[in-house]
Amino acid sequence: MDRHTSFITAPFITTPFLRHISQKILLSTTLFISASSLFSPLAHAQTDSNTARVISAGAAITEIINALGAEQQLIAVDVTSKTLVADNMPKVGYHRQLSAESLIALAPTRIIGSDEMGPPKTLTLLKQSGIEVDIVNGGETVSDLLHRIDQVAALTQHSQQAQQLKQTITTTVKTIKQNNSHQTQPKKVLFLMIHDGRPISVAGKNTTADSIITLAGAINPAAAVVANYKPVSTEAILQMQPDIILLSNRTTASIKDMAQLIKKMPVLAATPAAKNNAIAVIDGTALIGGLGIHSINEAMRLNHIFYPQS
């Protein structure tokens, strides 16, 4: 984006557990040993952690594996996790479009993914080959994330490490809420999903984008209109009157400022966001596979961008 854009993010930097959330904030995490609950449907096939060969199909899962200290079990990840692992770690494609043959060739003992993992035919072939296929919680709430941590911890035999990770997340969420308590006029923030060749969609309710916007202390005006990611009418956009437009960093690689965005979507010219030249950017990996650790960090970072004096 150009130098006149009102809101701009700091670079995204991966750490072993969490990421930097802004130039003003750094979350430092140390994981200790304690107990956490098991998710019984997934606890049926524990593999010795010394011999486990795990493929993670989703960035939200890979970041949990890393944060639990179970990364030594990983033998491959899907492409959404490529920034979370070493360059030489095998990548098995996109988690929604996995190939059974390429996965089986890596001889994994288990594959962990969300309900976005697929296609179903691939999962069936993997199970028939004797590979454990575990689908963990992909929900959009903080409770869903804490539950997913317990699930992944059980599957990787790192349940003792889960409690401190969950406490770190709970503390971060509490800090965000404390920051939000000072806001008397929440900003209206609209997330736009823009892909070439497809209609522009907004993030409605039941999306990770909506959860992040809400956690960051803002209002998502699309949540009252649609669920999931869907196109909406020009009239609906005008009624929403967003104060800030939120885009993924993938989108801003080609749409660099408000002028280019308005050229793509002229209706935005009649919104407060356009008048104030207000664009914010979110790391797209924080939107994949449900609310994740990085999603929480992005909510914290965006909170300080939406409300720079807080």
Side-chain angles (χ1 to χ4, degrees):
M1 292 180 286
D2 66 17
R3 61 186 178 88
H4 300 294
T5 300
S6 299
F7 298 89
I8 190 164
T9 65
F12 304 109
I13 304 173
T14 303
T15 72
F17 305 117
L18 304 170
R19 296 172 182 226
H20 292 290
I21 54 178
S22 70
Q23 293 177 350
K24 297 162 59 178
I25 299 174
L26 176 64
L27 296 180
S28 299
T29 306
T30 304
L31 303 180
F32 298 98
I33 298 177
S34 60
S36 65
S37 58
L38 301 182
F39 179 67
S40 56
L42 299 178
H44 62 281
Q46 297 281 344
T47 301
D48 187 288
S49 60
N50 293 325
T51 60
R53 294 175 55 82
V54 175
I55 295 177
S56 174
I61 295 166
T62 305
E63 65 187 7
I64 291 174
I65 291 174
N66 289 344
L68 290 170
E71 65 274 11
Q72 73 282 355
Q73 297 181 22
L74 287 173
I75 62 165
V77 297
D78 88 311
V79 294
T80 68
S81 302
K82 63 183 180 181
T83 62
L84 303 175
V85 296
D87 291 342
N88 61 355
M89 174 73 69
K91 314 302 186 296
V92 295
Y94 186 52
H95 66 291
R96 292 179 184 267
Q97 301 171 336
L98 299 174
S99 164
E101 291 77 8
S102 61
L103 271 64
I104 292 170
L106 293 169
T109 55
R110 76 175 349 117
I111 296 170
I112 307 175
S114 71
D115 56 6
E116 297 178 349
M117 179 171 60
K121 181 179 179 181
T122 292
L123 303 185
T124 298
L125 290 172
L126 294 171
K127 292 175 183 177
Q128 291 174 347
S129 71
I131 298 168
E132 295 290 338
V133 177
D134 298 291
I135 297 176
V136 299
N137 189 336
E140 312 296 342
T141 69
V142 174
S143 294
D144 289 329
L145 170 57
L146 299 179
H147 184 37
R148 189 185 317 127
I149 289 170
D150 281 337
Q151 292 175 288
V152 175
L155 291 169
T156 59
Q157 296 191 40
H158 280 66
S159 292
Q160 291 182 318
Q161 286 84 347
Q163 191 63 33
Q164 180 62 33
L165 176 57
K166 292 192 294 181
Q167 184 58 52
T168 299
I169 290 167
T170 301
T171 300
T172 303
V173 171
K174 183 178 179 180
T175 300
I176 299 172
K177 289 181 177 179
Q178 288 174 340
N179 292 343
N180 294 341
S181 66
H182 304 299
Q183 304 306 324
T184 57
Q185 293 183 322
K187 299 289 182 65
K188 290 190 289 185
V189 178
L190 181 65
F191 176 79
L192 299 179
M193 179 179 285
I194 303 175
H195 295 297
D196 288 338
R198 301 180 190 175
I200 297 174
S201 296
V202 300
K205 63 181 180 180
N206 302 327
T207 63
T208 302
D210 176 56
S211 296
I212 293 173
I213 290 168
T214 303
L215 275 173
I219 296 171
N220 175 18
V225 180
V226 296
N228 304 314
Y229 296 94
K230 292 181 180 176
V232 294
S233 67
T234 297
E235 292 76 12
I237 295 289
L238 287 174
Q239 289 179 352
M240 290 177 195
Q241 288 290 289
D243 299 304
I244 303 169
I245 300 299
L246 183 61
L247 302 173
S248 75
N249 55 343
R250 176 180 176 180
T251 296
T252 56
S254 57
I255 297 176
K256 300 185 182 299
D257 54 34
M258 183 62 77
Q260 292 182 1
L261 181 59
I262 291 172
K263 185 176 181 180
K264 185 90 172 176
M265 200 174 185
V267 66
L268 293 177
T271 66
K275 294 173 184 176
N276 295 318
N277 209 24
I279 291 176
V281 185
I282 186 170
D283 185 353
T285 61
L287 304 173
I288 299 172
L291 193 76
I293 297 173
H294 189 37
S295 308
I296 301 296
N297 293 338
E298 285 292 86
M300 174 69 94
R301 184 182 60 80
L302 288 170
N303 174 257
H304 284 260
I305 290 173
F306 298 162
Y307 308 107
Q309 303 305 316
S310 63

